[in-house]
Amino acid sequence: MSLQGKHIVLGITGSIAAYKSAVLIRLLVKKGAEVQVVITPAGKEFITPVTLSALSGRPVISEFFAAGNGSWHSHVELGLWANLMIVAPATAATIGKMANGIADNMLITTYLSMKAPVFVAPAMDLDRYRHISTQRNIEKLKSDGVQVIDAAEGELASHLEGKGRMEEPENIVSLLERFFAAGNDLCKKKILITAGPTYERIDPVRFIGNFSSGKMGFALAEECASRGAETILITGPTALPATHPNIRRVDVESANEMYDAALKIFPQTDAAIFSAAVADYRPEQMSGEKIKRSGKEKFALSLIPNPDIAASLGKIKKPGQLTVGFALETNNEESNAMKKMEEKNFDCIVLNSLNDKGAGFGHDTNKITLLFRDGGKQPYTLKSKGEAAKDIIDAVFSPTLSYPIRSNIKIP
Ligand code: CTP
């Protein structure tokens, strides 16, 4: 049932494998999906729009304007409508254009406006498939977050044997079903993520900060964005880039600035993940001038508490809104983390222990344990922060999750 009601944009390009798209549409429609075909001019040489519109039950889009009445086909609307886009078959030319943003047809402009996850199923002759430029473009697409369904081996249209056959429609459909069943579809969801350190100014050239790199928060943002979520990343000072078009980055410096930004955005969100290492205190006074060393035997700073962003938002969270926190602990890890979950009204908390090698601040890897409100516990092995982000998002948004975190149980 995971395809029931899903909006799928199917891109078809100029390959002999376009005949398989007809079967793909039939299978998707049978599973309850709505399919909107966008075909390139070359695609129409291989399969007719009449066949495709009859199978999908929707007019096929190919040009920027409808020929009859001149009305505009909005690639922007398609980008918002879709839960998923798949280009199948995808030729070497289309893969190259997607990788380089060459928007000279309706399919590529639709891709560039796409908010939903994108898949491509390449189909071409073996020499074209293994050509260094095609492989480079495929790698580029992967690094842009596109999921590439590897071509299969077998007899090709040229009668040569090798890799280049478009994956069979049945296999594509079961892959998409698994994709949706695993909670990968975050389209139409708005997710707030806090990340990085905060800097608390002492004077114009000094601050109190911490060693947080922001890597975990940025990996979470990339993960949410690639699953289609409108992602708002509020980050403290870090040089990390946030590249996905679904990410809106808000740069802040201090805990107070992060609090103000988060408070404004939180009420409109479906979920918030608090991965920032927020300074608990800030100097009571910020000196307007550089503080001089001369004449001082000792130097004491008076600190006052910063707002607790997660706890404050936990108090105003509405039913159905999900919040996830982080706990970095050195001792009594689990009980400290559970206490934080209670105090801050989280549905789930990600525990890092500083006793684990390779986990926590500055590392590219992380070893996490997820703790849930009902006492559920899920430990993971040491992984890259990107993989750890996948695990967190899988667990938190999976519709098959056994933990009742979606019920948003209130603390009595
Ligand atoms: N947090 C926050 N605002 C703060 C402090 C923490 O939003 N002012 C969030 C963090 O992003 C994290 C969680 O609260 O998700 C726990 O952060 P942590 O610093 O471990 O907890 P503290 O409450 O500050 O406890 P302590 O430092 O005493 O362990």
Side-chain angles (χ1 to χ4, degrees), residues 22-290:
V23 182
L24 184 58
I25 297 170
R26 223 173 142 256
L27 294 173
L28 290 170
V29 169
K30 248 183 158 170
K31 298 269 182 186
E34 287 185 48
V35 180
Q36 174 61 60
V37 173
V38 180
I39 192 165
T40 62
K44 286 190 285 188
E45 304 291 332
F46 289 86
I47 189 161
T48 75
V50 177
T51 307
L52 300 169
S53 70
L55 288 168
S56 64
R58 289 170 161 268
V60 167
I61 298 176
S62 182
E63 313 300 332
F64 292 105
F65 295 93
N69 58 15
S71 68
W72 183 50
H73 288 139
S74 171
H75 49 90
V76 178
E77 268 171 33
L78 277 176
L80 294 168
W81 174 82
N83 292 100
L84 185 138
M85 177 177 185
I86 176 162
V87 184
T91 56
T94 289
I95 288 171
K97 286 181 190 179
M98 286 172 76
N100 293 288
I102 301 170
D104 65 351
N105 64 44
M106 187 64 192
L107 192 155
I108 307 293
T109 49
T110 303
Y111 165 63
L112 293 184
S113 297
M114 191 48 59
K115 301 282 178 201
V118 179
F119 284 69
V120 295
M124 64 198 79
D125 230 325
L126 73 167
D127 50 353
R128 239 172 299 164
Y129 192 60
R130 69 175 170 222
H131 195 280
I132 190 162
S133 85
T134 307
Q135 287 304 317
R136 195 171 49 229
N137 287 331
I138 286 178
E139 286 313 309
K140 178 87 182 44
L141 282 187
K142 284 183 183 168
S143 74
D144 291 346
V146 173
Q147 321 244 9
V148 178
I149 305 172
D150 218 9
E153 302 240 1
E155 192 188 346
L156 302 165
S158 58
H159 302 299
L160 294 172
E161 286 272 338
K163 200 166 179 175
R165 286 175 64 86
M166 179 181 131
E167 185 53 270
E168 294 307 320
E170 291 77 6
N171 295 342
I172 293 179
V173 168
S174 89
L175 189 137
L176 299 187
E177 279 186 306
R178 275 181 280 131
F179 177 80
F180 283 119
N184 281 304
D185 178 21
L186 298 184
C187 295
K188 333 270 185 255
K189 293 236 183 297
K190 197 166 178 173
I191 300 175
L192 163 68
I193 296 173
T194 68
T198 64
Y199 286 1
E200 310 300 325
R201 285 182 184 236
I202 299 169
D203 69 12
V205 294
R206 302 182 181 95
F207 61 86
I208 298 173
N210 59 64
F211 291 120
S212 167
S213 62
K215 284 177 188 163
M216 194 65 238
F218 275 63
L220 284 162
E222 288 288 334
E223 192 56 35
C224 291
S226 72
R227 296 183 193 207
E230 181 184 347
T231 307
I232 301 106
L233 174 64
I234 305 179
T235 177
T238 163
L240 294 176
T243 49
H244 199 288
N246 286 352
I247 300 177
R248 175 152 64 91
R249 175 182 180 147
V250 181
D251 284 291
V252 296
E253 184 179 280
S254 64
N256 260 332
E257 286 173 16
M258 189 175 275
Y259 173 75
D260 288 343
L263 189 65
K264 217 188 272 169
I265 292 160
F266 182 70
Q268 299 102 51
T269 60
D270 298 287
I273 306 176
F274 301 99
S275 70
V278 185
D280 285 323
Y281 294 90
R282 66 176 184 276
E284 189 169 15
Q285 303 259 315
M286 191 206 109
S287 168
E289 281 158 20
K290 192 178 167 207

Side-chain angles (χ1 to χ4, degrees), residues 4-16:
Q4 182 67 42
K6 296 294 183 199
H7 293 174
I8 295 180
V9 169
L10 171 61
I12 300 175
T13 69
S15 155
I16 187 67

Side-chain angles (χ1 to χ4, degrees), residues 267-388:
Q268 299 102 51
T269 60
D270 298 287
I273 306 176
F274 301 99
S275 70
V278 185
D280 285 323
Y281 294 90
R282 66 176 184 276
E284 189 169 15
Q285 303 259 315
M286 191 206 109
S287 168
E289 281 158 20
K290 192 178 167 207
I291 300 169
K292 293 288 183 196
R293 175 180 175 153
S294 61
K296 288 190 193 73
E297 270 297 297
K298 275 189 180 175
F299 181 74
L301 261 183
S302 172
L303 302 179
I304 53 168
N306 270 328
D308 188 320
I309 301 165
S312 310
L313 300 186
K315 285 194 185 108
I316 57 165
K317 116 174 169 187
K318 293 189 288 279
Q321 237 177 344
L322 222 122
T323 57
V324 179
F326 273 70
L328 180 63
E329 305 291 339
T330 54
N331 58 308
N332 299 328
E333 289 96 335
E334 279 189 37
S335 61
N336 279 340
M338 288 304 280
K339 202 163 147 252
K340 266 177 203 168
M341 176 144 56
E342 284 294 313
E343 285 167 1
K344 305 194 188 204
N345 198 11
F346 293 140
D347 298 282
C348 169
I349 194 156
V350 184
L351 169 63
N352 296 135
S353 167
L354 269 189
N355 299 320
D356 287 322
K357 274 210 171 80
F361 281 8
H363 294 285
D364 287 329
T365 51
N366 208 353
K367 187 169 182 321
I368 57 165
T369 301
L370 297 187
L371 302 173
F372 298 89
R373 285 300 285 273
D374 67 345
K377 180 177 155 185
Q378 179 67 57
Y380 295 88
T381 54
L382 185 73
K383 295 182 176 189
S384 72
K385 285 190 170 167
E387 286 169 314

